[in-house]
């Protein structure tokens, strides 16, 4: 039975402002939609502004609680501009979701230095730059009680497989960065959550591996639900790490 609107408890995310990187497609788009449905103001940051704009238009045609910003997570100035745009639009920044990710599927012998750098710059340097840019606002977030950083890692930070050395290095590094931030920032009220995501039915896998068994992958909405769960936790608790897997996950026991 659906409760009358007046009897539905307000979400803890209502009125909060969350910046999501890589929000133009896949998991980032799913996270943006879930946050918006939970009442948050959502800043969709992506290199592909057109794709992010399409996601935003579908979930909020009047753009009352969302905005789109161009962001190259590899560049310090772009990271700062994305954070500044979020604050200019909504007056605050309560949470940052470092989701943007990239991979090159090659063996180490064939992987160029430029390709290695591209993966590490997007997947590890990017979260560092966004975190640096966002920290002053996050420390003042949630009415002065402190904000929240969510980093999206992967089962690639737990096990290894061939032809993904750069991706593994970046996700192991991001997990270490997440744990370090948790230890460093919690005293100041800023919470940090590391989301270990298993395989999802997103372009990241489906476009690169057309023969993949999609039935063994999970809907990205499930991981997006996990992000919202972590962000909704009462202020005296933190979900420091959360692993979300498809039932038939092949890269985890």
């Amino acid at each position: 039975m659906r409760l009358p609107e007046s009897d539905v408890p307000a979400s803890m995310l209502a009125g909060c402002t969350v910046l999501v990187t890589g929000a133009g497609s896949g998991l980032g788009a799913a996270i943006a939609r879930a946050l918006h449905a939970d009442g948050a103001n959502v800043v969709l940051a992506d290199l592909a502004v057109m794709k992010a704009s399409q996601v935003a238009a579908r979930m909020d045609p009047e753009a009352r609680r969302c905005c789109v910003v161009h962001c190259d997570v590899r560049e310090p100035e772009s990271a700062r501009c994305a954070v500044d745009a979020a604050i200019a639009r909504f007056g605050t920044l309560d949470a940052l979701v470092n989701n943007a990710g990239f991979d090159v599927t090659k063996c180490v012998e064939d992987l160029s230095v430029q390709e290695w750098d591209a993966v590490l710059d997007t997947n590890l340097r990017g979260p560092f730059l966004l975190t640096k840019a966002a920290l002053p606002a996050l420390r003042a977030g949630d009415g002065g009680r402190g904000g929240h950083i969510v980093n999206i890692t992967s089962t690639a930070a737990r096990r290894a497989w061939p032809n993904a050395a750069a991706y593994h290095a970046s996700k192991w590094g991001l997990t270490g960065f997440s744990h370090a931030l948790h230890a460093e920032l919690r005293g100041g009220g800023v919470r940090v959550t590391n989301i270990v995501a298993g395989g999802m039915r997103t372009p990241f896998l489906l476009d690169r591996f057309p023969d993949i068994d999609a039935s063994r992958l999970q809907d990205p909405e499930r991981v997006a639900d996990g992000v919202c769960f972590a962000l909704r936790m009462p202020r005296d608790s933190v979900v420091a790490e959360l692993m979300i897997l498809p039932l038939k996950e092949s890269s985890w026991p």
Side-chain angles (χ1 to χ4, degrees):
M1 182 180 71
R2 184 179 178 85
L3 291 171
E5 194 68 30
S6 60
D7 294 335
V8 177
S11 167
M12 293 181 68
L13 297 182
C16 291
T17 299
V18 186
L19 190 158
V20 183
T21 66
S25 64
L27 176 58
I31 292 170
R33 289 191 295 266
L35 290 168
H36 187 268
D38 229 351
N41 303 317
V42 184
V43 181
L44 296 88
D46 207 301
L47 266 175
V49 173
M50 185 63 70
K51 287 185 177 181
S53 297
Q54 292 169 350
V55 174
R58 285 192 291 269
M59 71 183 191
D60 190 348
E62 297 182 6
R64 291 180 177 178
R65 289 192 292 107
C66 75
C67 70
V68 175
V69 297
H70 175 272
C71 183
D72 183 343
V73 300
R74 302 166 297 181
E75 298 297 332
E77 184 60 28
S78 188
R80 284 193 294 269
C81 287
V83 170
D84 289 347
I87 297 170
R89 175 68 174 82
F90 296 111
T92 185
L93 181 63
D94 301 291
L96 165 68
V97 180
N98 285 310
N99 164 77
F102 174 66
D103 188 20
V104 175
T105 306
K106 289 184 178 180
C107 66
V108 170
E109 287 178 303
D110 294 338
L111 189 70
S112 70
V113 173
Q114 292 76 16
E115 289 168 331
W116 171 275
D117 287 346
V119 175
L120 271 291
D121 284 353
T122 300
N123 299 359
L124 187 54
R125 174 183 167 94
F128 166 70
L129 293 178
L130 264 298
T131 297
K132 287 273 286 183
L135 263 178
L138 291 175
R139 286 198 175 98
D142 197 10
R145 293 183 296 173
H148 203 136
I149 299 167
V150 177
N151 291 326
I152 305 297
T153 60
S154 164
T155 50
R158 294 293 188 270
R159 294 184 73 182
W161 47 86
N163 303 321
Y167 190 71
H168 285 298
S170 69
K171 291 302 184 180
W172 278 82
L174 184 55
T175 294
F177 182 56
S178 299
H179 292 177
L181 286 177
H182 168 72
E184 185 173 324
L185 300 179
R186 61 181 175 170
V190 177
R191 301 187 293 181
V192 180
T193 299
N194 189 52
I195 300 284
V196 183
M200 292 170 282
R201 290 190 292 272
T202 67
F204 183 78
L205 288 178
L206 298 176
D207 288 357
R208 294 187 300 134
F209 306 108
D211 295 330
I212 196 169
D213 183 357
S215 70
R216 300 183 69 88
L217 304 176
Q218 63 187 335
D219 190 319
E221 303 290 344
R222 302 292 75 78
V223 179
D225 289 343
V227 172
C228 290
F229 166 74
L231 290 174
R232 285 196 302 260
M233 285 293 290
R235 288 296 317 177
D236 59 353
S237 295
V238 58
V239 178
E241 186 163 272
L242 180 63
M243 181 179 286
I244 307 170
L245 307 175
L247 188 60
K248 298 179 181 180
E249 174 67 70
S250 60
S251 64
W252 188 255

